[in-house]
Amino acid sequence: MKLVVLVCLAASAVARPQFRYENPRHIAILRDNRVDHGDGNFQYEFETENGIYQNVVGRPGQSGGQTMDGSFRFPLDDGTIADFQFVANENGYQVQSPVIPTPHPLPAHAAEQVAFAEQERARGARWDELGRRIARST
């Protein structure tokens, strides 16, 4: 039994990822501006020499929370820049970017079914958790 435990420990030690940082490079910060008004309004912006950038503006939200919007970007391994714009508020975090995959549009027949269901729901139709109609539309 002890031999099995010893072999398992040895195998996990050999299999662990080996991280080697040869010649780590210092990345200079080109810009770092921060403003905090103390009333929930703030702004910060920073940029590094390797292309990382972020700009965020925050203000008190309508329902007592915080609302923020801004943008950030960073270089990808292929040399292109990934650019993002976002809003974070009472509706959650919403980000937009050309690098975020988007779903394919619904086929025409599926879009028709969704529109039909919305029309039925607007007329008072209801369904149970199994999808069976429990209230007829009038």
Side-chain angles (χ1 to χ4, degrees), residues 23-77:
N23 301 324
R25 192 176 132 218
H26 175 75
I27 305 297
I29 296 175
L30 303 177
R31 187 178 349 172
D32 187 358
N33 301 319
R34 298 166 191 263
V35 177
D36 186 350
H37 299 284
D39 59 356
N41 292 294
F42 68 89
Q43 179 177 2
Y44 69 87
E45 175 183 39
F46 73 86
E47 183 175 11
T48 63
E49 70 178 335
N50 65 346
I52 296 172
Y53 172 82
Q54 186 170 16
N55 181 15
V56 177
V57 176
R59 60 197 157 283
Q62 293 182 6
S63 58
Q66 188 74 25
T67 297
M68 293 186 280
D69 58 76
S71 63
F72 59 93
R73 67 176 179 252
F74 53 88
L76 298 173
D77 291 338

Side-chain angles (χ1 to χ4, degrees), residues 75-135:
L76 298 173
D77 291 338
D78 64 1
T80 61
I81 301 293
D83 198 8
F84 301 83
Q85 291 77 40
F86 70 90
V87 173
N89 56 24
E90 58 273 354
N91 297 321
Y93 180 74
Q94 302 122 40
V95 64
Q96 295 179 342
S97 174
V99 299
I100 296 175
T102 56
H104 294 287
L106 287 175
H109 69 279
E112 290 171 12
Q113 289 296 312
V114 170
F116 177 75
E118 290 299 323
Q119 290 171 356
E120 289 295 301
R121 188 174 292 119
R123 292 173 39 197
R126 292 182 310 157
W127 294 266
D128 67 9
E129 67 277 354
L130 298 176
R132 295 179 297 214
R133 182 179 279 185
I134 57 175

